[in-house]
Amino acid sequence: NSLLLLCCLTCFQFLQAQSFLKILRKSDNSSHYCRKLLQLSDTEYAFLTNTELYRIDQQGAILKQVSIGHNGYDLQDIGQLTNKQTVIAGGVYTGTSSAIKLTRLDANGQVLREREFNINSSFDNLRLVPSTNNRFFLVFVQVEQQRRHPAVMYLDQDFNILWERHLGFEVYY
């Protein structure tokens, strides 16, 4: 067995702050680490590795584990809509092309919707920013040759683009 050391040290605020260190054992040889921790309710939290979503309680007990990342789908950020459904954003990398993939899940971890957005270049710093009315912003930096520019997309829960903006280029040498 390969040992996956997944260290998610975080403080939860109740009457007083508490911490936990959770070490998860994996049988595969892949490397994983905690990408983002999200508070879902007063007693439940979720975090991502590059391939899986974990739901945990205040003591760090695993309530649900959902394998989502596969075939080059690298999970990068997580957000919660106002209807309490979870949205995951990641990159899909296949050879020379890349895409941003969004996945929406219900409270039981069932996939409700997935959609890919082809990007004609590479990207980094992918982030989800929840808004109101089950909408959210998808923010990333698009990289074309030596140029980088921020891009912002505003989407609804079905991943329809309500608007998008690509901001000016910055040139790096």
Side-chain angles (χ1 to χ4, degrees), residues 3-23:
L3 178 62
L4 163 67
L5 295 178
L6 177 62
C7 300
C8 229
L9 181 62
T10 189
C11 293
F12 302 113
Q13 295 182 358
F14 324 114
L15 296 175
Q16 54 184 278
Q18 297 180 10
S19 303
F20 74 90
L21 173 66
K22 188 72 177 176
I23 298 174

Side-chain angles (χ1 to χ4, degrees), residues 20-58:
F20 74 90
L21 173 66
K22 188 72 177 176
I23 298 174
L24 303 175
R25 299 181 187 279
K26 298 289 287 182
S27 59
D28 65 2
N29 196 19
S30 58
S31 60
H32 300 274
Y33 56 92
C34 184
R35 299 241 168 155
K36 183 173 180 182
L37 180 72
L38 175 69
Q39 184 173 4
L40 300 173
S41 70
D42 290 340
T43 60
E44 193 172 331
Y45 302 83
F47 69 89
L48 289 178
T49 68
N50 60 331
T51 60
E52 302 191 32
L53 168 69
Y54 289 87
R55 294 175 88 108
I56 58 175
D57 66 14
Q58 295 171 343

Side-chain angles (χ1 to χ4, degrees), residues 63-91:
L63 304 173
K64 188 78 153 173
Q65 177 183 352
V66 182
S67 294
I68 300 170
H70 51 81
N71 299 329
Y73 184 20
D74 181 37
L75 308 180
Q76 297 180 22
D77 204 5
I78 184 172
Q80 188 176 42
L81 300 173
T82 50
N83 65 8
K84 304 298 184 193
Q85 293 177 349
T86 303
V87 176
I88 295 173

Side-chain angles (χ1 to χ4, degrees), residues 26-155:
K26 298 289 287 182
S27 59
D28 65 2
N29 196 19
S30 58
S31 60
H32 300 274
Y33 56 92
C34 184
R35 299 241 168 155
K36 183 173 180 182
L37 180 72
L38 175 69
Q39 184 173 4
L40 300 173
S41 70
D42 290 340
T43 60
E44 193 172 331
Y45 302 83
F47 69 89
L48 289 178
T49 68
N50 60 331
T51 60
E52 302 191 32
L53 168 69
Y54 289 87
R55 294 175 88 108
I56 58 175
D57 66 14
Q58 295 171 343
Q59 288 72 42
I62 298 172
L63 304 173
K64 188 78 153 173
Q65 177 183 352
V66 182
S67 294
I68 300 170
H70 51 81
N71 299 329
Y73 184 20
D74 181 37
L75 308 180
Q76 297 180 22
D77 204 5
I78 184 172
Q80 188 176 42
L81 300 173
T82 50
N83 65 8
K84 304 298 184 193
Q85 293 177 349
T86 303
V87 176
I88 295 173
V92 177
Y93 308 99
T94 55
T96 58
S97 66
S98 59
I100 293 173
K101 184 173 181 177
L102 299 174
T103 304
R104 181 167 44 98
L105 301 103
D106 65 14
N108 296 317
Q110 297 297 313
V111 174
L112 300 175
R113 177 133 173 88
E114 291 185 308
R115 182 170 179 192
E116 287 187 22
F117 297 93
N118 291 322
I119 306 297
N120 294 329
S121 60
S122 62
F123 61 91
D124 58 19
N125 298 319
L126 180 62
R127 297 290 174 258
L128 283 171
V129 181
S131 182
T132 57
N133 298 323
N134 296 315
R135 296 177 176 178
F136 61 95
F137 296 93
L138 185 64
V139 182
F140 58 97
V141 175
Q142 192 166 356
V143 181
E144 296 180 54
Q145 297 174 5
Q146 295 290 329
R147 303 179 305 172
R148 301 169 59 83
H149 66 91
V152 179
M153 299 168 70
Y154 190 54
L155 299 107

